[in-house]
Amino acid sequence: MKKLCILFRSAPQGTVKGREGLDLALLSASFEQEVSLVFVDEGVLHLLKDQQPELIGGKDYISTFKALPLYDIESVFVCKQSLAEYGLSHGLLSIPVTVVNDEAISAHLKSVDEVLVF
Amino acid sequence: MILHHIQTSPNRDNALKLCLRYACKEDAILLSSDGVNALLLRQWAMALSPFKLMVLKDDVIARGLTERLSNVCLIDYNEFVAQALLHDKVITW
Amino acid sequence: MVNPLQFNGAEIARDHQGYLNDLNDWQPELALLLAKEEQLELTPAHWEVINFVRDFYLEYKTSPAIRVLVKAIGQALGPDKGNSKYLYTLFPIGPAKQATKIAGLPKPAKCI
């Protein structure tokens, strides 16, 4: 079993990166890999409540993040500095996450086997 | 030890900024494609200076930057592969 | 190749494996037709799972693969129903595959 970290740094709408990252995360978890997610920079916008991607022709993969616990993906980290940069507070987020500082993210990237950036 | 790989210009993309935010001092950074342009800008050249830095040779030559970047470590594709194996993992930002 | 599905005088669009293209085309009566193609006679136990996967999709916008389906049903309906043996008894070819098809949903990404 590999420790796989999927890092989201791109905004949710506009590109398919976030959706690809989530698909990979769920698929890897289905194959019993130990998956963790990290949201940084514009990627933190994935976590905002009340998104309606279908309104602009996108698929609503944002709702799928709520299913992470069913896939046994329990480690979900968010960069504290990135949240602050975008003026987001914990209360605006749609799923339970662990807010961590830069050092904790560095340590996490070091501790896993692979990091894939989306 | 992580090898961080940057392929995009810092003027178009936050890859380099994020990599620098989360890199540890023992990590190495590899610039390729438009990523090499970062070294022409003083702020990024300074920010990169604490790290072991490598730049993909063909991308430098192709852009006519060989003289400007004469003091950086240029590597070819074979050395890139060797470096990837030398490090615990590669993160492509 | 999948035959076109005639329902209430209209043709329902499907993909090459027989999954509906548009989940809004689905109605409980249509499920009976889809089940017949799978050679299944729907009992209340089947309906419980079909309604479950449909609600799952509407909440999470993804069709559950088998492992997730087992876990989610276990949490909602108890361990008697949240196990693959029970679900395979109802849907012998594959619970995730067949239940999502009969529920009018897209095929799960990793489908056993």
Side-chain angles (χ1 to χ4, degrees), chain B residues 25-64:
Chain B
K25 57 181 183 302
E26 68 269 22
D27 291 350
I29 298 178
L30 169 72
L31 305 177
S32 72
S33 305
D34 281 347
V36 305
N37 297 345
L39 287 170
L40 303 174
L41 299 167
R42 180 188 293 265
Q43 61 176 122
W44 294 114
M46 297 256 291
L48 283 162
S49 60
F51 296 93
K52 185 186 174 198
L53 182 70
M54 289 166 273
V55 183
L56 211 55
K57 193 194 259 167
D58 286 356
D59 283 316
V60 172
I61 298 170
R63 286 169 176 74

Side-chain angles (χ1 to χ4, degrees), chain A residues 69-81:
Chain A
L70 292 169
Y71 287 81
D72 297 318
I73 299 176
E74 314 281 357
S75 303
V76 183
F77 303 108
V78 185
C79 173
K80 189 177 178 180
Q81 189 183 335

Side-chain angles (χ1 to χ4, degrees), chain A residues 27 29-32 54 59-60 63-64 66-67 69-72 74, chain C residues 56-65 67-68 71-72 75 109-110:
Chain A
L27 209 59
S30 300
F31 282 101
E32 321 253 318
E54 283 148 347
K59 182 175 155 61
D60 181 13
S63 295
T64 308
K66 290 183 289 184
L70 292 169
Y71 287 81
D72 297 318
E74 314 281 357
Chain C
F56 185 99
Y57 189 91
L58 294 176
E59 179 165 6
Y60 300 119
K61 302 292 166 72
T62 185
S63 291
R67 204 170 69 99
V68 173
K71 184 165 177 174
Q75 285 177 1
K110 182 187 178 254

